[in-house]
């Protein structure tokens, strides 16, 4: 018999699953699927032409949780696009931050599950995919913790510096939820860098004699950090935050690092680089502003801060932190959007 060759580009994702007798291969191109059936697992998959009732896309065996095949996957350009009924989708609230660990980076993802959908019998699956690659098996999973306090689950995941797409997914027989964290490619060229700003409800000194970590916190640089799962603060509430600097020079020479923090009215799209530069230079024009000097003791070091919010009117603000090396003049800035709500 002859052959018909159809050439496509790389699929958005490539999935394999199997049952007792056969192995199945699915190439997913966003709006269509190519489905191959390897009968008896011989290593020779053949193209499968589905009947009309399967034209919406192949489905895996019962109990196989795969959001790609069920059109729920969050690795598309539009994570909220779906081909299934959204009525059983529950919100998955995540406020992630990225810190650096030497030759890797760690994602801190506080998660909130409200009562009424998931139970402790369900598990959160964490997928870590390089941009453009197929969807891998879960990197790990962790049980769902449901309580009246948020966050009730804190996920820490270490990954490399390539462009990554990290998905958090949970499903049961009734409900499902998913969230995606996109990480850009990180190129370490020896420059001064500032991490994401970790928003927290509280930051405490860690107990050096104990390895235990309090519920709702993670440990970093001898601190217990209680990350927030929403970027909102009540008017008058202390704004706790944590940030790290990387690539510092003149370690152990007594040189200092200038740390400035400002809060400017308006969201990230409204507060540009030039406005922030003017606010750092004329701090009295910022809604909130602090400045102090830190001694450089390591090529990377963290710092926690507390800002007051009682003078801020309800609204959206941009929080920015700038660090400046006194000896070299090198600077780096990190920004994050926050919301001040009326005090109840």
């Amino acid at each position: 018999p002859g052959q018909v060759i159809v050439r496509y580009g790389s699929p958005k994702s490539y999935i394999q699953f199997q049952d007792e007798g056969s192995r199945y291969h699915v190439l997913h191109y966003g709006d269509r699927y190519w489905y191959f059936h390897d009968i008896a697992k011989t290593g020779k998959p053949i193209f499968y032409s589905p009947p009309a009732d399967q034209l919406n896309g192949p489905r895996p065996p019962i109990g196989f949780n795969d959001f790609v095949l069920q059109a729920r996957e969050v690795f598309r350009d539009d994570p909220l696009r779906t081909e299934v009924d959204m009525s059983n989708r529950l919100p998955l609230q995540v406020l992630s931050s990225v810190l650096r660990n030497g030759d890797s980076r760690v994602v801190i993802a506080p998660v909130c599950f409200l009562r009424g959908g998931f139970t402790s019998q369900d598990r959160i699956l964490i997928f870590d995919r390089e941009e453009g690659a197929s969807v891998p098996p879960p990197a790990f999973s962790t049980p769902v913790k449901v309580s009246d306090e948020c966050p009730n689950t804190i996920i820490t995941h270490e990954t490399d510096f390539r462009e990554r797409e990290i998905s958090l997914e949970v499903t049961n027989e009734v409900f499902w939820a998913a969230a995606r964290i996109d990480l850009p490619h990180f190129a370490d060229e020896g420059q001064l860098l500032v991490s994401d700003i970790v928003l927290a409800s509280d930051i405490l000194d860690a107990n050096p004699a104990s390895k235990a970590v309090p519920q709702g916190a993670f440990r970093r640089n001898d601190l217990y950090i209680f990350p927030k799962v929403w970027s909102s603060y009540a008017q008058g509430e202390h704004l706790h935050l944590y940030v790290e600097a990387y690539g510092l020079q003149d370690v152990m020479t007594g040189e200092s690092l200038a740390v400035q923090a400002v809060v400017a009215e308006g969201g990230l799209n409204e507060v540009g680089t030039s406005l922030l530069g003017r606010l750092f230079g004329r701090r009295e024009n910022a809604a909130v502003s602090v400045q102090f000097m830190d001694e450089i003791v390591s090529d990377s070091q963290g710092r926690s801060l507390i800002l007051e919010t009682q003078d801020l009117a309800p609204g959206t603000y941009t929080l920015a932190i700038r660090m400046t090396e006194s000896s070299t003049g090198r600077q780096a800035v990190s920004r994050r959007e926050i919301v001040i709500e009326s005090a109840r």
Side-chain angles (χ1 to χ4, degrees):
Q3 286 185 319
V4 176
I5 299 176
V6 180
R7 182 174 180 176
Y8 274 75
S10 299
K12 288 193 172 186
S13 59
Y14 169 67
I15 299 298
Q16 293 186 56
F17 58 92
Q18 60 185 355
D19 54 26
E20 294 181 357
S22 299
R23 182 178 291 115
Y24 307 90
H25 305 254
V26 181
L27 280 69
H28 173 43
Y29 284 88
D31 58 351
R32 70 183 60 196
Y33 303 82
W34 294 111
Y35 190 26
F36 295 84
H37 187 187
D38 182 0
I39 301 174
K41 304 179 184 178
T42 61
K44 297 181 179 180
I46 61 174
F47 179 67
Y48 174 74
S49 180
D53 62 353
Q54 293 190 21
L55 288 180
N56 287 330
R59 292 294 182 262
I62 295 175
F64 187 93
N65 296 329
D66 189 294
F67 286 97
V68 174
L69 298 182
Q70 297 185 28
R72 301 172 176 171
E73 53 91 15
V74 294
F75 286 139
R76 294 176 173 178
D77 291 336
D78 180 3
L80 296 180
R81 176 185 170 192
T82 181
E83 298 168 6
V84 297
D85 182 9
M86 293 285 285
S87 63
N88 60 347
R89 180 175 186 174
L90 297 180
L92 179 57
Q93 180 61 37
V94 180
L95 185 64
S96 63
S97 304
V98 181
L99 305 175
R100 181 174 168 180
N101 280 343
D103 294 330
S104 64
R105 51 187 170 177
V106 59
V107 178
I108 310 296
V111 179
C112 182
F113 289 100
L114 300 178
R115 297 186 185 277
F118 300 110
T119 72
S120 59
Q121 302 300 312
D122 301 316
R123 299 188 69 85
I124 309 171
L125 303 180
I126 292 85
F127 296 88
D128 185 346
R129 183 179 82 149
E130 185 178 1
E131 169 67 23
S134 60
V135 180
F140 66 96
S141 67
T142 185
V144 169
K145 297 178 182 178
V146 179
S147 67
D148 295 328
E149 299 293 330
C150 284
N152 38 44
T153 301
I154 298 178
I155 294 170
T156 59
H157 174 62
E158 194 163 8
T159 189
D160 58 35
F161 290 152
R162 291 174 291 180
E163 190 171 4
R164 313 297 299 184
E165 295 174 338
I166 298 174
S167 173
L168 312 180
E169 302 177 356
V170 59
T171 184
N172 58 25
E173 295 180 355
V174 180
F175 300 108
W176 64 277
R180 190 176 74 182
I181 303 167
D182 293 326
L183 302 182
H185 173 73
F186 175 82
D188 186 358
E189 299 175 351
Q191 69 267 40
L192 177 64
L193 300 169
V194 179
S195 72
D196 287 346
I197 301 172
V198 181
L199 302 178
S201 57
D202 202 0
I203 299 177
L204 304 174
D205 290 331
N207 181 358
S210 174
K211 294 183 179 180
V213 178
Q215 174 68 27
F218 69 96
R219 186 167 183 162
R220 185 79 172 177
N221 290 338
D222 296 325
L223 295 173
Y224 294 139
I225 301 173
F226 296 79
K228 289 179 69 70
V229 75
W230 287 281
S231 58
S232 58
Y233 290 81
Q235 190 177 26
E237 180 183 0
H238 290 316
L239 199 165
H240 296 266
L241 57 96
Y242 176 81
V243 68
E244 294 181 348
Y246 313 113
L248 294 167
Q249 298 178 0
D250 299 322
V251 178
M252 302 300 290
T253 62
E255 294 294 340
S256 57
L257 180 71
V259 181
Q260 296 173 280
V262 299
V263 177
E265 188 173 357
L268 291 175
N269 293 331
E270 304 170 79
V271 181
T273 303
S274 58
L275 176 57
L276 281 179
R278 293 195 299 271
L279 292 177
F280 281 123
R282 299 179 61 86
R283 295 186 297 111
E284 66 273 12
N285 294 331
V288 175
S289 177
V290 297
Q291 178 174 322
F292 56 90
M293 304 298 291
D294 258 355
E295 182 181 358
I296 298 177
V297 297
S298 173
D299 60 355
S300 63
Q301 59 191 58
R303 162 56 88 162
S304 62
L305 295 85
I306 301 177
L307 302 181
E308 302 292 341
T309 65
Q310 68 269 19
D311 294 330
L312 297 179
T316 301
Y317 293 83
T318 294
L319 165 65
I321 294 181
R322 184 172 74 176
M323 296 191 178
T324 306
E325 277 185 332
S326 59
S327 61
T328 65
R330 297 189 305 159
Q331 295 181 332
V333 177
S334 184
R335 302 186 302 162
R336 188 145 211 171
E337 190 171 283
I338 62 171
V339 175
I340 301 299
E341 300 177 338
S342 298
R344 294 182 176 88

